[in-house]
Amino acid sequence: MQATALIEINKLDLFYGAFQALKQVSLEIPQRAITAFIGPSGCGKSTLLRTLNRMNDMIPGARVEGSIEIGGTDIYGGDVHVETLRKKVGMVFQQPNPFPKSIYDNVAYGPRLHGITKRRELDEIVENSLRSAALWNEVKDHLKRSALSLSGGQQQRLCIARALAVGPDVLLMDEATSALDPISTIKIEELAQELKDRYTIVMVTHNMHQAARVSHQTVFFLNGEVVEYSATEKLFSDPSDQRTEDYISGRFG
Amino acid sequence: MLLRKGLPNLSWDFLTGLPSEIEEGGGIGPALFNSFYILFLSLAISIPLGMAAGIYLAEFAPDNRFIAFIRICVEGLSSVPSIIFGLFGISLFVDIFHLDLTILGGAVSLAFLNLPMLTRVTEESLRSVPTELKNASFALGSTHLQTIRTVLIPVALNGIITGICLTAGRAFGESAVIILTAGVTTSGELWDFNLLSPGETLAVHLWYVQSEAIVPDAGDIAQKATAVLIMIVLAINLVFRVPLWMKARRMKG
């Protein structure tokens, strides 16, 4: 954890009504690296990910205490516009969810929302984003085709391109490969490796091998608490907590 | 069968001719014009209101008893027999505003008849849009209104148009409301845009010639009018559908 921290989470509690989904979570997430959240279902890892771009705001009864700072700004502070935050913190979901529009319009969707209308500017953003998502060569000749005509893996890379098109600093990946076949999964993992030089990536994964393969830091969650947080190599080879060891050796979860 | 009896005898004179009270050979011109005029007016009133109400109920309405009550009212209203709306129209326009039987009264009463249905259909179509698409849009930093405009409505449009077709078809063939509020006579001119003229429509004319008229060729007129009515309802559906089919074909790519 030598790199500078971009995201600082401080004593975060999150409640869904009376149920406490996150308990006193404190974490520092380093800039331009891949951080993986692992843990059994319902441990709070996806919940924490969704606090980073405030997608939990939309869930009725969700309440947050504590603070999250991204680049020094408290994102739950009163003067932060959630739309501005989400421009800076992009997200890729579990299921590929392209809009039923053309490939071009999918990528241009975000920039258009934020007021870019010039054709040439949009063209450039679309090309750059698709190149960054390693999809350009496959789709450059039929940008007008429906996004739904792409394969699952291509759709997911399109969703990554769409997220990159608004120019984020952080990319959240919420089990982004769990609906994909192994080959598409590898492609997304390779892509994440390339993107980490420019973006801070936080991924939630069910697949421990994936965390071990791609991430630099790994956070192990259990019942809404952070059990262990260390460099990926250390966490998988020499965990300091018995519960971590039980989980990664497959004794539960 | 209805088409076979009526279609072969149709003529331009019949479609545009003035109706006759006593002699043979009356046409349906003014009634046909009124049908379109009243349909257009009623849709112009009910589509914006119905869609706005549907969008509100689907996206903004808080989840409380009052809104649940409103929802039950809307549902109840959409199954109220149309003649009740006719009686309502009479008491509003004839008794309170002293306007007599007018195109305006007919169109507004018909709009009331259509409103609950359009509201329901809009709400249901918006609700059936996958949450993943909504989330995708929010995660790119769009506001709630932007998401409704650029994702929800385009995706739900198919369902909404189906609802509009159904209501338009029903409204075009509606007789009870019009008999009570717009009357069974026309002003006797073909192109009469005056909102305060009596406005017998095609469906009403059909009922009138079958049950009350004393012209010798009433049966013949009724058959031809029936054929016209059916063809127009079909045409309304086609006109709304064709662009959607073309769009759907493009998007399956």
Side-chain angles (χ1 to χ4, degrees), chain A residues 53 55 58 83 86 89 91 93 97-102 109-110 113-114 145-146 148-149 162-163 166, chain B residues 132-144 146-147 149-151 154-155 247 250-253:
Chain A
N53 66 346
M55 288 296 276
M58 282 180 288
E83 288 81 25
R86 290 182 186 148
V89 184
M91 189 169 205
F93 296 82
N97 54 359
F99 300 123
K101 303 170 188 274
S102 71
Y109 180 83
L113 280 182
H114 301 295
R145 288 242 308 257
S146 166
L148 303 180
S149 66
R162 184 176 64 184
V166 292
Chain B
E132 289 83 25
L133 292 184
K134 265 175 89 171
N135 284 342
S137 174
F138 283 126
L140 289 166
S142 75
T143 62
H144 200 160
Q146 283 173 322
T147 301
R149 191 166 50 83
T150 56
V151 174
V155 174
K247 187 174 163 231
R250 257 207 337 268
M251 277 305 108
K252 276 186 193 114

Side-chain angles (χ1 to χ4, degrees), chain A residues 151-154 157 177 180-189:
Chain A
S151 72
Q154 289 175 320
R157 277 180 282 147
T177 61
L180 303 180
D181 62 87
I183 296 187
S184 307
T185 300
I186 299 282
K187 277 194 181 159
I188 302 269
E189 288 179 8

